[in-house]
Amino acid sequence: MPLYARKQIHLVPKPKLNLLKNANRQVWVINYTSEIFLSYQDYLKRITLYEKRIWQCVVTGKQGLTYHEALESEKTHRETLENKFPLGLIPPVLEKIQFNTERLDVVVNEIFEKYKDLYSIGEVIYAMIDRKKIKVKVSEVKSITPKESSSKGAKRKSIQSQIIYEVQMLDDEGNPMKQKNKKFITKTINGNYAVCRADKLSFTKTLIRKFVKESATKDTYFHAPWIVKSKLAKTYKIPTQLPDDLQKSKDEALEKSRKRKAKTSNTAPAKKIKNNKGSNNNVRTSNKNDKKTNSTQSSSQKHSATNNKKTIKKLTAAEKAKQEKKKRQDLENKKKEAEKNRKQKEKEENQKRRKAEQKKIKYPIEDLGVPLDRSLLQKRPSLVYDFKVSQDCIGIMLSIWNFFTIFGKTLGMSFCTLDDFESSLYHTVTSPRCYLTIEMHVSLLNAIIKDRMHSKGKKRVVNHAVGIDAMEIDNNDEITMLNTSREILEMLGNNWDRKLISSSDGRKGWETILAGCIYQLIEYSSTPNLEHILAKIVPKRKSNIEETLEKNYVTLEAADKLQILEFLINTVSKSQTIHDHIEMCSEKLSELNKEKLNLAKEKRQLLYSLSEINKDKLPEDLLNETNSSAVKSNENPVTRKRKLEENEIMISKREEQIEKDKRKYAIPRVPLLGKDRFYNKYYYFDNIGAAVSEKYGTGRIFVESANDFDLEIMTEKEEQRFKKRRKIEEFGISRNASNVSVDNQAQWGYYDDIAQVKLLQGWLNSKGVRELSFQNELNARLPDISAGITKRQQDFATTHTTQEVRRSKRTQTTLAMLSAQSYMKWSNKLAK
């Protein structure tokens, strides 16, 4: 029914007439409402109201219509609703509408998001069957209770996968396909293979909006619920009894409305009487009558005054006291009522102000300023801490592995996984040899030697191992051994850079070159710990120098080996080889960026041409270029469209390859995924350099906790609140976390399970600045991350042994067990 001022006008009820007595009585009828009037004045008044352009269509919301036009609009769009809206979705949608207190647009969005990928019996949809997109009709729906998931996309996929559709195959004309025995061809498919509805306009937000307006009503008071019309509620068995809280809100709203109306009626000023033209005569006559009655009124007033004086004298003192007490009580009641109204009004104003302040907040904001969202995961998923190296060495280990990932090919070093690199640090025997460790050192040493050979004309700086002289000595034997070590180092320091380390003899003697390199190039002021490492590996006697150096090196701690590699990398970073590689990467990146811009221009032109063809128009280039091959061959729009679509696919594939190449030639930087609300940093190292072409490099997301500087910034103002929140949300029970403390020192952990990564997505809050950026980056990289984690888990399940090669177990470890280790199977295919 059309609306006037957002309310429905009730029709005039039919008059009760006796047909026998009033058979010849004249009546007036409005055809489109079927209203009957016994009076022409009533009919004229009603028809005039209907002809005014003040009516609104209840389905579309269109205003400025006459009553008849609004009725026709409702009829037309109601037929559209009945023909297009999926019948199977009507009951659940009505249940979703009933007693919903949200605004219309919010209700529409909720319904659309919940049911856009769910289909009901009788709907015609497209489904992927035998890798083909085929039109089918849903004949049966078998649904299982879906499992809850953290993210919206994952939840939708989970719901789809829990629904089984039995569908009927349709031909191109939409008729059911039959077999030879005249039976319909049916298939059973999973919900994930249902692509979309055949008629995309059968379930749109506009259609849902019209359906809500047509099937439900909503009162005008604040927080009023949507109520499904009684006829529909009865048909689809929708509960109509208002819940207690909504009924209470309704009663309060009605009571407030009643009081407001009563207050306005009591305080409204009396209306002034307006005299029409010609009313002066009436005034004169009334004045004459007043003069006649003045004498009688004055006499009566005098009489009543004397009577009042007599009655006042008769009042007793008790009655006077009673009247005064009553007046005081009335005054107190009025004051209490006024105070109550003032407090209520103040409370309402405060609520309105708080709501207005909440609406003013524009997200995203500072992450720690975002209130806790109970719909998200309340505690961050537990991290894994089972590193072989200690916590203070993890950052160095990751930076070294990342350096080889970027520059390994340039240095003549094949790719290796982080697991193999970490295991190689604990190889503590000389036989069999660990070629991964050897090739890492040799590739760096050769780069340093090569750079020094190219700069022979320059003056070399020779540093002396003053640290060894400073070691404490107790007797003459130790003095003799110390002098011997110094002589050996002087000898190694003079001969180490004469030639490159060859691969023909298995890199024999590389440890002596390493010792000479460290002795000559070390700067003790910046790397004081290397002097102690050098003292550990340098022989004390001149006999069997190579064998002693090799034996002493493998017995070094993992932290010492990492510090040696870090020193070599810092030295290699200044070499011409690395500079040339960086320049080459910069040139490649510039070329790829230019190509990407050109492809973007081509793609825009293609999309424009496709849009013109879709409008049944040929593109302007075909109309203008009369000599083009397309015009000569009389190429029709269909063929042209197919070629354009093929070109668009080719451009998209090339754009994906360009993004992959850009990561391959990335300038060496730490690949930060993002930060969370507590300034924890998240890294994924498998997306740059040589790791791009591999199935996985680390197969994990690494997490570094906030350092002391970040913690000082965060806890400067609200230290207590921050620490309490961090303890609740972050420090859960972690696997193998016995060596991890929960103090303010930076710690490293990782996620090696895709389920934990998805839980992490459910913990992040997109209303925060840092977590919004991190969430977007994580969603973009999730396919690559998932593939890397899965491949690493598969390799561990098939090839990785649980027994670790550690120094404490070397006496129990056999040659066969060592050879079976993954890092021992590594070989350098780029050896020079």
Side-chain angles (χ1 to χ4, degrees), residues 66 191 218 220 253 256 294 393 485 494 500 594 630 671 690 753 815-816:
T66 65
K218 187 177 183 181
T220 55
K256 286 181 182 179
N294 278 341
C393 295
S485 300
N494 292 328
L500 297 175
K594 288 180 182 178
D753 189 352
L815 178 63

Side-chain angles (χ1 to χ4, degrees), residues 114 251 348 448 567 589 607 643 670 769:
K114 184 173 183 179
D251 295 339
E348 291 176 358
I448 297 171
F567 164 74
L589 287 172
L607 293 173
K643 289 184 178 180
V670 178
V769 179

Side-chain angles (χ1 to χ4, degrees), residues 767-793:
K767 292 181 179 179
V769 179
R770 292 186 296 279
E771 293 194 359
L772 174 62
S773 176
F774 176 32
Q775 201 172 49
N776 293 336
E777 189 68 18
L778 185 59
N779 291 336
R781 300 279 181 85
L782 192 60
D784 293 337
I785 295 172
S786 178
I789 290 176
T790 303
K791 180 59 182 173
R792 180 174 180 267
Q793 290 175 341

Side-chain angles (χ1 to χ4, degrees), residues 650-800:
M650 291 175 62
I651 289 174
S652 299
K653 289 182 179 179
R654 180 54 189 158
E655 285 178 336
E656 292 177 3
Q657 185 61 38
I658 286 175
E659 289 298 323
K660 192 175 181 180
D661 291 341
K662 284 176 69 176
R663 295 198 301 271
K664 190 182 294 184
Y665 296 111
I667 303 298
R669 291 173 183 166
V670 178
L672 182 65
L673 276 177
K675 297 180 182 179
D676 63 17
R677 67 197 70 159
F678 300 116
Y679 290 85
N680 298 313
K681 300 173 185 177
Y682 294 77
Y683 300 89
Y684 182 64
F685 293 90
D686 293 12
N687 58 350
I688 59 172
V692 175
S693 304
E694 299 294 331
K695 293 181 179 178
Y696 76 96
T698 62
R700 288 167 278 181
I701 292 179
F702 288 89
V703 185
E704 182 187 15
S705 65
N707 55 34
D708 293 337
F709 177 73
D710 289 331
L711 290 171
E712 286 178 9
I713 295 174
M714 288 183 288
T715 60
E716 184 177 358
K717 293 182 179 180
E718 297 180 283
E719 183 173 357
Q720 284 298 116
R721 189 176 68 87
F722 167 75
K723 286 184 176 181
K724 183 179 179 181
R725 183 171 173 181
R726 188 179 182 211
K727 187 175 182 180
I728 293 172
E729 296 183 58
E730 189 177 18
F731 296 127
I733 300 173
S734 305
R735 289 185 281 153
N736 302 322
S738 58
N739 63 335
V740 178
S741 61
V742 290
D743 55 9
N744 287 346
Q745 298 300 318
Q747 301 287 342
W748 282 90
Y750 62 84
Y751 291 112
D752 61 348
D753 189 352
I754 194 61
Q756 293 293 98
V757 176
K758 290 181 178 179
L759 287 176
L760 175 66
Q761 287 181 301
W763 179 71
L764 297 174
N765 194 330
S766 60
K767 292 181 179 179
V769 179
R770 292 186 296 279
E771 293 194 359
L772 174 62
S773 176
F774 176 32
Q775 201 172 49
N776 293 336
E777 189 68 18
L778 185 59
N779 291 336
R781 300 279 181 85
L782 192 60
D784 293 337
I785 295 172
S786 178
I789 290 176
T790 303
K791 180 59 182 173
R792 180 174 180 267
Q793 290 175 341
Q794 290 173 354
D795 285 358
F796 265 62
T798 54
T799 63
H800 188 74

Side-chain angles (χ1 to χ4, degrees), residues 246-258:
L246 294 180
Q247 185 63 49
K248 185 178 179 181
S249 299
K250 183 178 180 180
D251 295 339
E252 290 177 355
L254 293 175
E255 183 65 20
K256 286 181 182 179
S257 177
R258 186 187 64 78

